[in-house]
Amino acid sequence: MATLKINENEKLSHIAPEIYGHFSEHLGRCVYEGLYVGENSDIPNENGMRKDVVEALRELKVPVLRWPGGCFADEYHWKDGIGPKATRKKMINTNWGGVMEDNSFGTHEFFELCRQIGCKTYINGNVGSGSVREMSEWIEYMTFPGVSPMADERAKNGHPGPWKVDFFGVGNENWGCGGNMTPEYYGNLYRRYQTFVRRYDKAAPIKKVCCGANVDDAFWTEGVLKTCFAQPQPDFAHGFMDFLSLHYYVHPGGWKHKGSATQFDEEMFYTTMAKALYMEDLINLHGSIMDKYDPAKKIGMSVDEWGGWYDVEPGTNPGFLYQQNTVRDALIAGITLNIFNKHSDRVRMACLAQMVNVLQAVVLTEGPEMVLTPTYHVMHMYRHHQDGDLVRSALSGVKTVGAGSAAVPQITESVSVKDGVLTVTLANLSATDSEKVALELEGGDWRVCEAKIVASGDIHDFNTFERKDTVVERDFTGMDGLTATLPAASVVELRLSK
Ligand code: AHR
């Protein structure tokens, strides 16, 4: 039996809701079909947005949505996506399947989607193939409140008032698809481009995201921060940036042969668990470099692309990155979100890749049908951590499961408190064994007021359009006082009150 000691009176850091963010790229069937079907579709929609998907996302309490990419962002020219749809310029989506992009989902549609979901906006600008002027005019178009050429254009296109851009990314993966730059080169471009990302809304200034590293590329983090981190400026409380990003995907079989989303043996399962746990090493690695420049932790780390990435489902377009989502993905989500909570002093935003029909999606669609994935249900349970305070907690007596380089601790956890209610989330990484976890609290008469679980009999289980409820959130009945018996391969949420 393992023990989870909770010091509920010791608050360590605030859990920014944005840690539970999402990412939607013009890639495959994420934006088109998944989120947006157009006003004339037979699929029930409001202003072109699928009603079923939006409703599911509202239920998830999505805090923030990143758009339009990804690699797509550095080829996106925003002016192609405004004005009458019939005359919008068409382009080739060279990154993702070489398909035609008709730009029918553009700036206005993105803000409408976020309005319907009820989330903050995170827009990613184009540094790789876009000009400073283009970026600066986009900001003016979206956020300038008075009379100006771009604000007038926005009004002409049906939106007189400014929108709120909460976060703005200055380029994406500029070490790779965003221009194959060196850190110093990008760092200098970042200084220049971000200058023209004007903060017209002084009361709620746009928060700027600088492109950070791929996986363990400490050279990039060091080089970028050396070049463009600046001590507080008159207009920038935190120097030139508010966030530095990090991208990390779990490829169980490696980048070239990632492996199937649904068919894997136990060894591959544990390899996946070990690779999900690696997120913590990466946060420590890049966080320690950030600490050198920014010991007060004013800059947040934004892990704005994370999740499992497998071979596409057989028979689907390889450029569309469509994959199924099993109990294994529920565990990736449970493990990763526990890590983010534990590091919420530095990690202040994260976006699961991606929202619908792409990579580790929370929703899959097929025509008018929609199915929620195991990952959806885990994120739904974990929503109670949003805006909570992380409290000190530690496990003891945890067994090791798996073997060799894929030997992993059986249990991971995180605990937060909000409005006097504790939220405890636990993941059991064993493919085969249940385990008891005894909760030990500091004091008071805590009792479990809600207990939920995402699990299934088999680590390969997933939901289909025919059978949507194989892996869903259910009531958890494995409590005996304050001792939980976690079934094999499960993610559990316990809520405790006095
Ligand atoms: O999410 C898919 C792609 O992965 C994104 O476009 C890119 O930023 C990353 O390499």
Side-chain angles (χ1 to χ4, degrees):
M1 178 157 83
T3 302
L4 175 61
K5 176 118 189 56
I6 301 172
N7 297 100
E8 68 269 23
N9 296 318
E10 201 179 337
K11 294 179 181 169
L12 300 177
S13 50
H14 184 69
I15 298 178
E18 288 79 20
I19 285 179
Y20 290 83
H22 291 259
F23 172 38
S24 60
E25 181 165 12
H26 288 236
L27 194 180
R29 299 185 302 112
C30 181
V31 170
Y32 298 109
E33 285 188 47
L35 292 160
Y36 177 77
V37 287
E39 295 83 345
N40 301 324
S41 171
D42 290 339
I43 298 174
N45 69 84
E46 183 183 343
N47 298 327
M49 314 300 157
R50 284 183 76 121
K51 282 190 174 174
D52 54 353
V53 174
V54 167
E55 197 184 312
L57 296 172
R58 286 184 69 83
E59 176 61 30
L60 199 52
K61 299 263 176 300
V62 170
V64 64
L65 181 58
R66 177 173 180 243
W67 172 84
C71 295
F72 182 81
D74 280 286
E75 274 197 311
Y76 183 62
H77 300 286
W78 69 272
K79 285 189 181 171
D80 299 344
I82 56 168
K85 291 194 181 176
T87 53
R88 288 189 194 175
K89 190 165 157 187
K90 298 182 174 44
M91 66 181 278
I92 305 296
N93 191 334
T94 52
N95 284 292
W96 306 117
V99 293
M100 197 264 289
E101 159 70 54
D102 70 2
N103 277 307
S104 55
F105 189 97
T107 303
H108 291 247
E109 289 74 24
F110 175 67
F111 283 102
E112 171 61 10
L113 174 64
C114 292
R115 184 193 69 76
Q116 289 188 25
I117 295 174
C119 68
K120 289 187 178 173
T121 56
Y122 175 4
I123 292 199
N124 213 113
N126 179 349
V127 170
S129 71
S131 66
V132 177
R133 178 176 178 172
E134 184 180 6
M135 188 177 285
S136 148
E137 288 188 337
W138 199 9
I139 298 295
E140 183 188 324
Y141 186 89
M142 295 186 285
T143 62
F144 191 72
V147 174
S148 84
M150 291 302 118
D152 292 353
E153 181 79 10
R154 180 186 70 224
K156 205 176 83 195
N157 289 328
H159 206 277
W163 289 291
K164 184 146 185 301
V165 176
D166 296 290
F167 306 94
F168 191 85
V170 181
N172 168 73
E173 297 195 351
N174 302 91
W175 36 260
C177 66
N180 287 307
M181 302 174 191
T182 63
E184 289 74 21
Y185 182 71
Y186 169 74
N188 280 315
L189 282 187
Y190 177 82
R191 293 177 78 111
R192 179 169 166 230
Y193 274 68
Q194 69 78 33
T195 305
F196 301 94
V197 176
R198 303 284 185 206
R199 291 169 152 158
Y200 295 116
D201 183 350
K202 297 288 176 217
I206 296 175
K207 294 196 165 61
K208 301 179 186 182
V209 185
C210 176
C211 168
N214 184 32
V215 194
D216 61 350
D217 188 354
F219 178 72
W220 178 272
T221 305
E222 184 75 57
V224 164
L225 284 177
K226 195 162 72 188
T227 311
C228 68
F229 176 78
Q231 289 308 314
Q233 308 285 301
D235 193 31
F236 303 99
H238 311 156
F240 291 133
M241 67 183 79
D242 299 285
F243 287 89
L244 183 67
S245 68
L246 168 66
H247 288 182
Y248 172 57
Y249 288 96
V250 171
H251 308 295
W255 171 249
K256 272 201 171 151
H257 305 287
K258 302 178 181 72
S260 158
T262 53
Q263 289 160 31
F264 46 86
D265 58 18
E266 234 176 62
E267 196 183 332
M268 191 64 106
F269 171 82
Y270 285 116
T271 300
T272 310
M273 298 299 100
K275 289 190 175 185
L277 287 162
Y278 183 53
M279 179 66 88
E280 181 149 44
D281 295 345
L282 295 175
I283 293 170
N284 287 332
L285 171 71
H286 297 292
S288 67
I289 301 169
M290 292 173 82
D291 285 349
K292 269 199 326 192
Y293 292 86
D294 172 37
K297 294 186 167 47
K298 289 185 169 175
I299 301 173
M301 189 185 289
S302 172
V303 190
D304 46 38
E305 288 187 33
W306 68 271
W309 185 334
Y310 316 119
D311 296 338
V312 297
E313 283 304 299
T316 64
N317 187 327
F320 281 14
L321 311 188
Y322 177 75
Q323 64 189 40
Q324 252 298 351
N325 197 296
T326 66
V327 169
R328 180 174 64 160
D329 294 278
L331 282 157
I332 294 180
I335 292 167
T336 307
L337 295 169
N338 279 341
I339 292 172
F340 291 160
N341 288 343
K342 290 267 185 192
H343 290 270
S344 49
D345 58 335
R346 180 64 88 179
V347 178
R348 295 206 279 273
M349 183 153 65
C351 303
L352 174 67
Q354 295 194 8
M355 192 174 230
V356 189
N357 291 333
V358 170
L359 302 178
Q360 194 178 337
V362 289
V363 176
L364 302 177
T365 68
E366 205 173 84
E369 289 295 322
M370 172 190 87
V371 65
L372 306 178
T373 67
T375 301
Y376 176 96
H377 295 291
V378 169
M379 289 201 90
H380 186 257
M381 290 195 306
Y382 275 61
R383 74 195 184 287
H384 292 123
H385 283 304
Q386 290 187 28
D387 241 340
D389 289 314
L390 178 78
V391 300
R392 188 175 296 286
S393 61
L395 282 162
S396 57
V398 176
K399 294 180 188 134
T400 298
V401 292
S405 62
V408 293
Q410 185 176 357
I411 315 285
T412 83
E413 55 78 31
S414 65
V415 185
S416 70
V417 66
K418 189 177 158 187
D419 302 330
V421 180
L422 285 170
T423 298
V424 180
T425 46
L426 296 151
N428 179 359
L429 281 54
S430 171
T432 49
D433 297 342
S434 65
E435 178 61 317
K436 283 190 192 317
V437 180
L439 307 191
E440 275 183 13
L441 292 115
E442 270 188 325
D445 201 9
W446 293 95
R447 56 180 181 80
V448 175
C449 54
E450 189 185 299
K452 299 281 182 188
I453 183 168
V454 175
S456 188
D458 189 321
I459 49 176
H460 305 95
D461 280 349
F462 55 92
N463 300 327
T464 64
F465 294 97
E466 295 72 41
R467 181 96 202 268
K468 296 184 179 179
D469 60 354
T470 305
V471 194
V472 293
E473 181 181 342
R474 301 184 202 278
D475 288 336
F476 175 58
T477 53
M479 291 306 296
D480 178 7
L482 288 182
T483 298
T485 302
L486 309 180
S490 64
V491 185
V492 165
E493 181 220 31
L494 308 173
R495 305 202 76 215
L496 290 88
S497 60
K498 280 189 179 169

